[in-house]
mmCIF file of all heavy atoms in Angstrom:
data_model
loop_
_atom_site.group_PDB
_atom_site.id
_atom_site.type_symbol
_atom_site.label_atom_id
_atom_site.label_comp_id
_atom_site.label_asym_id
_atom_site.label_seq_id
_atom_site.Cartn_x
_atom_site.Cartn_y
_atom_site.Cartn_z
ATOM 1 N N ALA S 1 7.614 3.880 5.219
ATOM 2 C CA ALA S 1 7.291 3.187 3.964
ATOM 3 C C ALA S 1 7.968 1.823 3.890
ATOM 4 O O ALA S 1 7.362 0.839 3.445
ATOM 5 C CB ALA S 1 7.702 4.055 2.776
ATOM 6 N N GLN S 2 9.212 1.732 4.348
ATOM 7 C CA GLN S 2 9.964 0.474 4.252
ATOM 8 C C GLN S 2 9.374 -0.630 5.130
ATOM 9 O O GLN S 2 9.609 -1.804 4.871
ATOM 10 C CB GLN S 2 11.433 0.712 4.583
ATOM 11 C CG GLN S 2 12.140 1.478 3.482
ATOM 12 C CD GLN S 2 13.558 1.878 3.836
ATOM 13 O OE1 GLN S 2 13.884 2.126 4.991
ATOM 14 N NE2 GLN S 2 14.409 1.966 2.825
ATOM 15 N N GLN S 3 8.571 -0.262 6.113
ATOM 16 C CA GLN S 3 7.916 -1.264 6.957
ATOM 17 C C GLN S 3 6.887 -2.080 6.171
ATOM 18 O O GLN S 3 6.462 -3.138 6.612
ATOM 19 C CB GLN S 3 7.216 -0.603 8.144
ATOM 20 C CG GLN S 3 8.158 0.083 9.113
ATOM 21 C CD GLN S 3 7.399 0.875 10.164
ATOM 22 O OE1 GLN S 3 6.268 0.555 10.505
ATOM 23 N NE2 GLN S 3 8.027 1.919 10.682
ATOM 24 N N TYR S 4 6.482 -1.577 5.005
ATOM 25 C CA TYR S 4 5.430 -2.228 4.231
ATOM 26 C C TYR S 4 5.956 -2.962 2.990
ATOM 27 O O TYR S 4 5.168 -3.399 2.153
ATOM 28 C CB TYR S 4 4.352 -1.196 3.855
ATOM 29 C CG TYR S 4 3.700 -0.628 5.085
ATOM 30 C CD1 TYR S 4 4.168 0.539 5.674
ATOM 31 C CD2 TYR S 4 2.661 -1.313 5.721
ATOM 32 C CE1 TYR S 4 3.604 1.040 6.838
ATOM 33 C CE2 TYR S 4 2.092 -0.822 6.885
ATOM 34 C CZ TYR S 4 2.568 0.357 7.441
ATOM 35 O OH TYR S 4 2.014 0.838 8.605
ATOM 36 N N LEU S 5 7.263 -3.125 2.902
ATOM 37 C CA LEU S 5 7.832 -3.887 1.792
ATOM 38 C C LEU S 5 7.209 -5.276 1.751
ATOM 39 O O LEU S 5 7.059 -5.932 2.783
ATOM 40 C CB LEU S 5 9.355 -4.005 1.942
ATOM 41 C CG LEU S 5 10.157 -2.757 1.569
ATOM 42 C CD1 LEU S 5 11.590 -2.875 2.058
ATOM 43 C CD2 LEU S 5 10.110 -2.503 0.072
ATOM 44 N N GLY S 6 6.798 -5.706 0.578
ATOM 45 C CA GLY S 6 6.206 -7.025 0.414
ATOM 46 C C GLY S 6 4.700 -7.076 0.552
ATOM 47 O O GLY S 6 4.089 -8.101 0.241
ATOM 48 N N VAL S 7 4.072 -5.981 1.024
ATOM 49 C CA VAL S 7 2.602 -5.964 1.117
ATOM 50 C C VAL S 7 2.046 -6.065 -0.305
ATOM 51 O O VAL S 7 2.542 -5.408 -1.226
ATOM 52 C CB VAL S 7 2.101 -4.680 1.821
ATOM 53 C CG1 VAL S 7 0.584 -4.540 1.702
ATOM 54 C CG2 VAL S 7 2.518 -4.691 3.284
ATOM 55 N N PRO S 8 1.025 -6.889 -0.525
ATOM 56 C CA PRO S 8 0.520 -7.110 -1.880
ATOM 57 C C PRO S 8 -0.067 -5.864 -2.539
ATOM 58 O O PRO S 8 -0.621 -4.993 -1.869
ATOM 59 C CB PRO S 8 -0.589 -8.154 -1.697
ATOM 60 C CG PRO S 8 -0.470 -8.666 -0.323
ATOM 61 C CD PRO S 8 0.322 -7.692 0.479
ATOM 62 N N TYR S 9 0.070 -5.821 -3.869
ATOM 63 C CA TYR S 9 -0.609 -4.812 -4.667
ATOM 64 C C TYR S 9 -2.078 -5.212 -4.764
ATOM 65 O O TYR S 9 -2.400 -6.343 -5.122
ATOM 66 C CB TYR S 9 -0.013 -4.730 -6.075
ATOM 67 C CG TYR S 9 -0.741 -3.723 -6.940
ATOM 68 C CD1 TYR S 9 -0.334 -2.399 -6.975
ATOM 69 C CD2 TYR S 9 -1.842 -4.087 -7.693
ATOM 70 C CE1 TYR S 9 -1.009 -1.460 -7.735
ATOM 71 C CE2 TYR S 9 -2.535 -3.154 -8.463
ATOM 72 C CZ TYR S 9 -2.113 -1.848 -8.473
ATOM 73 O OH TYR S 9 -2.793 -0.923 -9.221
ATOM 74 N N VAL S 10 -2.966 -4.273 -4.440
ATOM 75 C CA VAL S 10 -4.403 -4.487 -4.576
ATOM 76 C C VAL S 10 -4.974 -3.246 -5.253
ATOM 77 O O VAL S 10 -4.833 -2.129 -4.728
ATOM 78 C CB VAL S 10 -5.085 -4.707 -3.200
ATOM 79 C CG1 VAL S 10 -6.594 -4.774 -3.350
ATOM 80 C CG2 VAL S 10 -4.550 -5.947 -2.517
ATOM 81 N N TYR S 11 -5.592 -3.419 -6.413
ATOM 82 C CA TYR S 11 -6.169 -2.276 -7.122
ATOM 83 C C TYR S 11 -7.190 -1.579 -6.221
ATOM 84 O O TYR S 11 -8.090 -2.221 -5.681
ATOM 85 C CB TYR S 11 -6.839 -2.721 -8.425
ATOM 86 C CG TYR S 11 -7.405 -1.577 -9.197
ATOM 87 C CD1 TYR S 11 -6.589 -0.759 -9.974
ATOM 88 C CD2 TYR S 11 -8.763 -1.270 -9.134
ATOM 89 C CE1 TYR S 11 -7.106 0.318 -10.670
ATOM 90 C CE2 TYR S 11 -9.290 -0.187 -9.829
ATOM 91 C CZ TYR S 11 -8.457 0.598 -10.595
ATOM 92 O OH TYR S 11 -8.962 1.675 -11.275
ATOM 93 N N GLY S 12 -7.028 -0.280 -6.013
ATOM 94 C CA GLY S 12 -7.926 0.491 -5.157
ATOM 95 C C GLY S 12 -7.595 0.385 -3.679
ATOM 96 O O GLY S 12 -8.234 1.029 -2.857
ATOM 97 N N GLY S 13 -6.572 -0.406 -3.338
ATOM 98 C CA GLY S 13 -6.225 -0.641 -1.935
ATOM 99 C C GLY S 13 -5.518 0.534 -1.285
ATOM 100 O O GLY S 13 -4.691 1.201 -1.902
ATOM 101 N N SER S 14 -5.854 0.772 -0.025
ATOM 102 C CA SER S 14 -5.214 1.867 0.716
ATOM 103 C C SER S 14 -5.054 1.495 2.190
ATOM 104 O O SER S 14 -5.152 2.341 3.066
ATOM 105 C CB SER S 14 -6.020 3.159 0.577
ATOM 106 O OG SER S 14 -7.330 2.983 1.084
ATOM 107 N N SER S 15 -4.800 0.201 2.446
ATOM 108 C CA SER S 15 -4.593 -0.244 3.825
ATOM 109 C C SER S 15 -3.421 -1.225 3.854
ATOM 110 O O SER S 15 -2.971 -1.703 2.809
ATOM 111 C CB SER S 15 -5.842 -0.938 4.369
ATOM 112 O OG SER S 15 -5.986 -2.219 3.777
ATOM 113 N N ALA S 16 -2.956 -1.534 5.050
ATOM 114 C CA ALA S 16 -1.791 -2.398 5.216
ATOM 115 C C ALA S 16 -2.033 -3.825 4.725
ATOM 116 O O ALA S 16 -1.101 -4.611 4.626
ATOM 117 C CB ALA S 16 -1.361 -2.408 6.674
ATOM 118 N N SER S 17 -3.282 -4.160 4.372
ATOM 119 C CA SER S 17 -3.539 -5.486 3.810
ATOM 120 C C SER S 17 -3.336 -5.492 2.298
ATOM 121 O O SER S 17 -3.270 -6.557 1.692
ATOM 122 C CB SER S 17 -4.946 -5.962 4.168
ATOM 123 O OG SER S 17 -5.912 -5.075 3.646
ATOM 124 N N GLY S 18 -3.227 -4.321 1.678
ATOM 125 C CA GLY S 18 -2.986 -4.231 0.248
ATOM 126 C C GLY S 18 -3.115 -2.806 -0.246
ATOM 127 O O GLY S 18 -3.999 -2.075 0.194
ATOM 128 N N PHE S 19 -2.206 -2.413 -1.133
ATOM 129 C CA PHE S 19 -2.159 -1.038 -1.645
ATOM 130 C C PHE S 19 -2.136 -1.011 -3.161
ATOM 131 O O PHE S 19 -1.543 -1.894 -3.787
ATOM 132 C CB PHE S 19 -0.865 -0.338 -1.203
ATOM 133 C CG PHE S 19 -0.652 -0.187 0.265
ATOM 134 C CD1 PHE S 19 0.286 -0.967 0.923
ATOM 135 C CD2 PHE S 19 -1.358 0.755 0.993
ATOM 136 C CE1 PHE S 19 0.518 -0.806 2.284
ATOM 137 C CE2 PHE S 19 -1.133 0.928 2.352
ATOM 138 C CZ PHE S 19 -0.198 0.142 2.998
ATOM 139 N N ASP S 20 -2.716 0.053 -3.746
ATOM 140 C CA ASP S 20 -2.316 0.424 -5.092
ATOM 141 C C ASP S 20 -1.314 1.568 -4.924
ATOM 142 O O ASP S 20 -1.001 1.961 -3.795
ATOM 143 C CB ASP S 20 -3.513 0.760 -5.995
ATOM 144 C CG ASP S 20 -4.287 2.007 -5.590
ATOM 145 O OD1 ASP S 20 -3.815 2.785 -4.735
ATOM 146 O OD2 ASP S 20 -5.378 2.203 -6.141
ATOM 147 N N CYS S 21 -0.780 2.082 -6.019
ATOM 148 C CA CYS S 21 0.336 3.030 -5.871
ATOM 149 C C CYS S 21 -0.042 4.269 -5.072
ATOM 150 O O CYS S 21 0.652 4.652 -4.132
ATOM 151 C CB CYS S 21 0.922 3.391 -7.227
ATOM 152 S SG CYS S 21 -0.146 4.347 -8.325
ATOM 153 N N SER S 22 -1.163 4.903 -5.416
ATOM 154 C CA SER S 22 -1.531 6.134 -4.709
ATOM 155 C C SER S 22 -2.129 5.835 -3.342
ATOM 156 O O SER S 22 -2.047 6.664 -2.428
ATOM 157 C CB SER S 22 -2.487 6.978 -5.554
ATOM 158 O OG SER S 22 -3.702 6.291 -5.785
ATOM 159 N N GLY S 23 -2.722 4.663 -3.181
ATOM 160 C CA GLY S 23 -3.199 4.257 -1.853
ATOM 161 C C GLY S 23 -2.038 4.100 -0.892
ATOM 162 O O GLY S 23 -2.146 4.440 0.290
ATOM 163 N N PHE S 24 -0.911 3.603 -1.404
ATOM 164 C CA PHE S 24 0.298 3.458 -0.589
ATOM 165 C C PHE S 24 0.834 4.816 -0.152
ATOM 166 O O PHE S 24 1.064 5.051 1.041
ATOM 167 C CB PHE S 24 1.363 2.690 -1.378
ATOM 168 C CG PHE S 24 2.678 2.543 -0.664
ATOM 169 C CD1 PHE S 24 2.783 1.799 0.506
ATOM 170 C CD2 PHE S 24 3.825 3.127 -1.167
ATOM 171 C CE1 PHE S 24 3.996 1.655 1.163
ATOM 172 C CE2 PHE S 24 5.045 2.989 -0.526
ATOM 173 C CZ PHE S 24 5.128 2.247 0.654
ATOM 174 N N THR S 25 0.993 5.744 -1.094
ATOM 175 C CA THR S 25 1.529 7.050 -0.724
ATOM 176 C C THR S 25 0.554 7.803 0.187
ATOM 177 O O THR S 25 0.976 8.455 1.136
ATOM 178 C CB THR S 25 1.868 7.884 -1.976
ATOM 179 O OG1 THR S 25 0.717 7.963 -2.826
ATOM 180 C CG2 THR S 25 3.016 7.260 -2.750
ATOM 181 N N MET S 26 -0.744 7.680 -0.083
ATOM 182 C CA MET S 26 -1.765 8.315 0.769
ATOM 183 C C MET S 26 -1.651 7.784 2.201
ATOM 184 O O MET S 26 -1.668 8.558 3.166
ATOM 185 C CB MET S 26 -3.147 8.018 0.182
ATOM 186 C CG MET S 26 -4.308 8.629 0.921
ATOM 187 S SD MET S 26 -5.891 8.328 0.078
ATOM 188 C CE MET S 26 -6.175 6.620 0.494
ATOM 189 N N TYR S 27 -1.522 6.469 2.346
ATOM 190 C CA TYR S 27 -1.440 5.818 3.659
ATOM 191 C C TYR S 27 -0.167 6.237 4.398
ATOM 192 O O TYR S 27 -0.210 6.584 5.578
ATOM 193 C CB TYR S 27 -1.467 4.302 3.457
ATOM 194 C CG TYR S 27 -1.451 3.500 4.733
ATOM 195 C CD1 TYR S 27 -2.637 3.186 5.392
ATOM 196 C CD2 TYR S 27 -0.256 3.044 5.272
ATOM 197 C CE1 TYR S 27 -2.629 2.433 6.554
ATOM 198 C CE2 TYR S 27 -0.231 2.292 6.436
ATOM 199 C CZ TYR S 27 -1.421 1.989 7.074
ATOM 200 O OH TYR S 27 -1.405 1.253 8.233
#
């Protein structure tokens, strides 16, 4: 998870280019 610090918040996002909260945990 710490490898992705600073990745932008993107509503509905679930990839390393942008995450929403549950997309981040899912990924």
Side-chain angles (χ1 to χ4, degrees):
Q2 288 173 329
Q3 295 172 28
Y4 298 93
L5 283 167
V7 170
Y9 178 90
V10 174
Y11 182 79
S14 60
S15 73
S17 61
F19 299 107
D20 66 12
C21 67
S22 63
F24 177 65
T25 54
M26 181 176 76
Y27 183 87

